Coordinates of all heavy atoms in Angstrom, one line a residue:
W9 N -3.0 -14.7 -9.0 CA -3.3 -13.4 -8.5 C -3.7 -13.4 -7.1 O -3.3 -12.5 -6.3 CB -4.4 -12.7 -9.4 CG -4.9 -11.5 -8.8 CD1 -6.2 -11.2 -8.4 CD2 -4.1 -10.3 -8.5 NE1 -6.2 -9.9 -7.9 CE2 -5.0 -9.3 -7.9 CE3 -2.8 -10.0 -8.7 CZ2 -4.5 -8.1 -7.5 CZ3 -2.3 -8.7 -8.3 CH2 -3.2 -7.8 -7.7
P10 N -4.6 -14.3 -6.6 CA -4.9 -14.3 -5.2 C -3.6 -14.4 -4.3 O -3.6 -13.8 -3.2 CB -5.7 -15.6 -5.0 CG -6.4 -15.7 -6.3 CD -5.3 -15.3 -7.3
T11 N -2.6 -15.2 -4.7 CA -1.4 -15.3 -3.9 C -0.6 -14.0 -3.9 O -0.1 -13.6 -2.9 CB -0.5 -16.5 -4.5 OG1 -1.2 -17.7 -4.5 CG2 0.8 -16.6 -3.7
V12 N -0.5 -13.4 -5.1 CA 0.2 -12.1 -5.2 C -0.5 -11.1 -4.4 O 0.1 -10.3 -3.7 CB 0.3 -11.7 -6.7 CG1 1.0 -10.3 -6.8 CG2 1.2 -12.7 -7.5
R13 N -1.8 -11.0 -4.6 CA -2.6 -10.0 -3.8 C -2.5 -10.2 -2.3 O -2.3 -9.2 -1.6 CB -4.1 -10.3 -4.2 CG -5.1 -9.4 -3.4 CD -6.5 -10.0 -3.5 NE -6.5 -11.3 -2.8 CZ -7.4 -12.2 -3.0 NH1 -8.3 -12.1 -3.9 NH2 -7.3 -13.4 -2.3
D14 N -2.5 -11.4 -1.8 CA -2.4 -11.6 -0.4 C -1.0 -11.2 0.1 O -0.9 -10.6 1.2 CB -2.6 -13.1 0.0 CG -4.1 -13.5 -0.2 OD1 -4.9 -12.6 -0.4 OD2 -4.4 -14.7 -0.2
R15 N 0.0 -11.4 -0.6 CA 1.4 -11.0 -0.2 C 1.5 -9.5 -0.2 O 2.1 -8.9 0.6 CB 2.4 -11.6 -1.2 CG 2.7 -13.1 -1.0 CD 3.7 -13.6 -1.9 NE 5.0 -12.9 -1.7 CZ 6.1 -13.0 -2.6 NH1 5.9 -13.7 -3.7 NH2 7.2 -12.3 -2.3
L16 N 0.8 -8.9 -1.3 CA 0.8 -7.4 -1.3 C 0.1 -6.8 -0.2 O 0.6 -5.8 0.5 CB 0.2 -7.0 -2.7 CG 0.0 -5.5 -2.9 CD1 1.3 -4.7 -2.8 CD2 -0.7 -5.2 -4.2
N17 N -1.1 -7.4 0.2 CA -1.9 -6.9 1.3 C -1.1 -7.0 2.6 O -1.2 -6.2 3.5 CB -3.2 -7.6 1.4 CG -4.2 -7.0 0.4 OD1 -4.1 -5.8 0.1 ND2 -5.1 -7.8 0.0
A18 N -0.4 -8.2 2.8 CA 0.4 -8.4 4.0 C 1.5 -7.3 4.1 O 1.8 -6.8 5.2 CB 1.0 -9.8 4.0
L19 N 2.1 -7.0 3.0 CA 3.2 -6.0 3.0 C 2.6 -4.7 3.3 O 3.2 -3.9 4.2 CB 3.8 -6.0 1.6 CG 4.9 -4.9 1.3 CD1 6.1 -5.3 2.1 CD2 5.2 -4.9 -0.2
L20 N 1.5 -4.3 2.8 CA 0.9 -3.0 3.1 C 0.4 -2.9 4.5 O 0.5 -1.8 5.1 CB -0.3 -2.7 2.1 CG 0.2 -2.6 0.6 CD1 -1.0 -2.4 -0.3 CD2 1.1 -1.3 0.4
R21 N -0.2 -4.0 5.0 CA -0.7 -4.0 6.4 C 0.5 -3.8 7.4 O 0.4 -3.0 8.4 CB -1.4 -5.3 6.7 CG -2.8 -5.3 6.3 CD -3.6 -6.5 7.0 NE -3.0 -7.8 6.7 CZ -3.3 -8.5 5.7 NH1 -4.2 -8.1 4.8 NH2 -2.7 -9.7 5.5
G22 N 1.6 -4.5 7.2 CA 2.8 -4.3 8.0 C 3.3 -2.9 8.0 O 3.6 -2.3 9.1
W23 N 3.4 -2.3 6.8 CA 3.9 -1.0 6.7 C 3.0 0.0 7.4 O 3.4 0.9 8.1 CB 4.1 -0.6 5.2 CG 4.9 0.6 5.0 CD1 6.3 0.7 4.8 CD2 4.4 2.0 4.9 NE1 6.7 2.0 4.6 CE2 5.6 2.8 4.7 CE3 3.2 2.6 5.0 CZ2 5.5 4.2 4.5 CZ3 3.1 4.0 4.9 CH2 4.2 4.7 4.6
S24 N 1.7 -0.1 7.1 CA 0.7 0.9 7.7 C 0.6 0.7 9.2 O 0.3 1.7 9.9 CB -0.6 0.8 7.0 OG -1.1 -0.5 7.2
A25 N 0.8 -0.5 9.7 CA 0.8 -0.7 11.1 C 1.9 0.0 11.8 O 1.8 0.6 12.9 CB 0.8 -2.2 11.5
Y26 N 3.1 -0.1 11.2 CA 4.2 0.6 11.8 C 4.1 2.1 11.7 O 4.4 2.9 12.6 CB 5.6 0.1 11.1 CG 6.8 0.8 11.7 CD1 7.4 0.3 12.9 CD2 7.4 1.9 11.1 CE1 8.5 0.9 13.4 CE2 8.5 2.5 11.6 CZ 9.1 2.0 12.8 OH 10.1 2.6 13.3
F27 N 3.7 2.6 10.5 CA 3.6 4.0 10.3 C 2.1 4.5 10.5 O 1.4 5.1 9.6 CB 4.0 4.4 8.8 CG 5.5 4.2 8.6 CD1 6.0 3.1 7.9 CD2 6.3 5.2 9.1 CE1 7.3 3.0 7.8 CE2 7.7 5.0 9.0 CZ 8.2 3.9 8.3
S28 N 1.6 4.2 11.7 CA 0.3 4.6 12.1 C 0.3 5.8 13.0 O -0.8 6.1 13.6 CB -0.4 3.4 12.7 OG 0.3 3.0 13.9
Y29 N 1.4 6.4 13.3 CA 1.6 7.5 14.2 C 1.8 8.8 13.4 O 2.4 8.8 12.3 CB 2.8 7.2 15.1 CG 3.1 8.4 16.0 CD1 2.4 8.7 17.2 CD2 4.1 9.3 15.7 CE1 2.7 9.7 18.0 CE2 4.5 10.3 16.5 CZ 3.7 10.6 17.6 OH 4.0 11.6 18.5
G30 N 1.2 9.9 13.9 CA 1.5 11.2 13.4 C 0.8 11.5 12.1 O -0.3 10.9 11.8
T31 N 1.3 12.4 11.3 CA 0.7 12.8 10.0 C 1.1 11.8 8.9 O 2.2 11.7 8.6 CB 1.2 14.2 9.7 OG1 0.9 15.1 10.7 CG2 0.5 14.7 8.4
R32 N 0.1 11.2 8.4 CA 0.4 10.1 7.4 C -0.5 10.1 6.2 O -0.3 9.3 5.3 CB 0.3 8.8 8.1 CG -1.1 8.6 8.9 CD -1.0 7.4 9.9 NE -2.2 7.1 10.5 CZ -2.7 7.8 11.5 NH1 -2.0 8.8 12.0 NH2 -3.9 7.5 12.1
L33 N -1.5 11.1 6.1 CA -2.4 11.0 5.0 C -1.7 11.2 3.6 O -2.0 10.5 2.7 CB -3.4 12.2 5.1 CG -4.4 12.3 4.0 CD1 -5.3 11.0 3.9 CD2 -5.4 13.5 4.3
Q34 N -0.7 12.1 3.5 CA 0.0 12.3 2.3 C 0.8 11.1 1.9 O 0.8 10.7 0.7 CB 0.9 13.5 2.4 CG 1.5 14.0 1.1 CD 2.2 15.4 1.2 OE1 2.2 16.0 2.3 NE2 2.9 15.8 0.2
A35 N 1.4 10.5 2.8 CA 2.2 9.3 2.5 C 1.3 8.1 2.1 O 1.6 7.4 1.1 CB 3.1 8.9 3.7
Y36 N 0.2 8.0 2.8 CA -0.8 6.9 2.5 C -1.3 7.1 1.1 O -1.4 6.1 0.3 CB -1.9 6.9 3.5 CG -1.6 6.2 4.8 CD1 -0.3 6.0 5.2 CD2 -2.7 5.8 5.6 CE1 -0.1 5.3 6.4 CE2 -2.4 5.1 6.8 CZ -1.1 4.9 7.2 OH -0.9 4.2 8.4
R37 N -1.7 8.3 0.7 CA -2.2 8.6 -0.6 C -1.2 8.3 -1.7 O -1.6 7.7 -2.7 CB -2.7 10.0 -0.7 CG -4.0 10.3 0.0 CD -4.4 11.7 -0.1 NE -5.8 12.0 0.4 CZ -6.3 13.2 0.5 NH1 -5.6 14.3 0.2 NH2 -7.6 13.3 1.0
A38 N 0.0 8.7 -1.4 CA 1.1 8.5 -2.5 C 1.2 6.9 -2.7 O 1.4 6.5 -3.8 CB 2.4 9.0 -2.0
I39 N 1.2 6.2 -1.6 CA 1.4 4.7 -1.7 C 0.2 4.1 -2.4 O 0.2 3.2 -3.2 CB 1.7 4.1 -0.4 CG1 3.0 4.6 0.1 CG2 1.6 2.6 -0.4 CD1 3.3 4.2 1.6
D40 N -1.1 4.6 -2.0 CA -2.3 4.0 -2.7 C -2.3 4.2 -4.2 O -2.6 3.3 -4.9 CB -3.5 4.8 -2.1 CG -4.0 4.2 -0.8 OD1 -3.5 3.1 -0.4 OD2 -4.8 4.9 -0.1
H41 N -1.9 5.4 -4.6 CA -1.8 5.7 -6.0 C -0.7 4.8 -6.7 O -0.9 4.3 -7.8 CB -1.5 7.2 -6.3 CG -2.6 8.1 -6.0 ND1 -3.9 7.8 -6.3 CD2 -2.6 9.3 -5.3 CE1 -4.7 8.8 -5.9 NE2 -3.9 9.7 -5.2
H42 N 0.4 4.6 -6.0 CA 1.5 3.8 -6.6 C 1.0 2.3 -6.7 O 1.3 1.7 -7.7 CB 2.7 3.9 -5.7 CG 3.9 3.1 -6.2 ND1 4.7 3.5 -7.3 CD2 4.4 1.9 -5.8 CE1 5.6 2.7 -7.5 NE2 5.5 1.7 -6.7
V43 N 0.3 1.8 -5.7 CA -0.2 0.5 -5.7 C -1.1 0.3 -6.9 O -1.0 -0.7 -7.6 CB -0.9 0.1 -4.3 CG1 -1.7 -1.2 -4.5 CG2 0.2 0.0 -3.2
Y44 N -2.0 1.2 -7.0 CA -3.0 1.1 -8.1 C -2.3 1.1 -9.5 O -2.6 0.2 -10.3 CB -4.0 2.3 -8.1 CG -4.8 2.3 -9.3 CD1 -5.7 1.3 -9.6 CD2 -4.8 3.4 -10.2 CE1 -6.5 1.3 -10.8 CE2 -5.5 3.4 -11.4 CZ -6.4 2.3 -11.7 OH -7.2 2.4 -12.8
D45 N -1.3 2.0 -9.7 CA -0.6 2.0 -10.9 C 0.1 0.7 -11.2 O 0.1 0.2 -12.3 CB 0.4 3.2 -10.9 CG -0.3 4.5 -11.1 OD1 -1.4 4.5 -11.6 OD2 0.4 5.5 -10.8
R46 N 0.8 0.2 -10.1 CA 1.6 -1.0 -10.3 C 0.7 -2.3 -10.5 O 1.0 -3.2 -11.3 CB 2.5 -1.3 -9.1 CG 3.6 -0.2 -8.9 CD 4.4 0.2 -10.1 NE 5.0 -1.0 -10.7 CZ 5.5 -1.1 -11.9 NH1 5.5 0.0 -12.7 NH2 6.1 -2.1 -12.4
V47 N -0.4 -2.3 -9.8 CA -1.3 -3.5 -9.9 C -1.9 -3.5 -11.3 O -2.0 -4.5 -12.0 CB -2.4 -3.5 -8.8 CG1 -3.5 -4.5 -9.1 CG2 -1.7 -3.8 -7.5
R48 N -2.4 -2.3 -11.7 CA -3.0 -2.2 -13.0 C -2.0 -2.6 -14.1 O -2.4 -3.3 -15.1 CB -3.5 -0.8 -13.3 CG -4.4 -0.6 -14.5 CD -4.7 0.8 -14.8 NE -3.5 1.5 -15.4 CZ -2.9 2.5 -14.8 NH1 -3.3 3.0 -13.6 NH2 -1.8 3.1 -15.4
H49 N -0.8 -2.1 -14.0 CA 0.2 -2.5 -15.0 C 0.5 -4.0 -14.9 O 0.6 -4.6 -16.0 CB 1.5 -1.7 -14.7 CG 2.6 -1.9 -15.7 ND1 2.5 -1.5 -17.0 CD2 3.8 -2.6 -15.6 CE1 3.6 -1.8 -17.6 NE2 4.4 -2.5 -16.8

């Protein structure tokens, strides 16, 4: 799990760093909810 978690965090950090411009709250929330659902599953 620590290895999977670190890869997941790296993926999310890279995505959010690129998409850090403009209006992003709705997209961020959608991804947060998706991450929670997939991690929990």
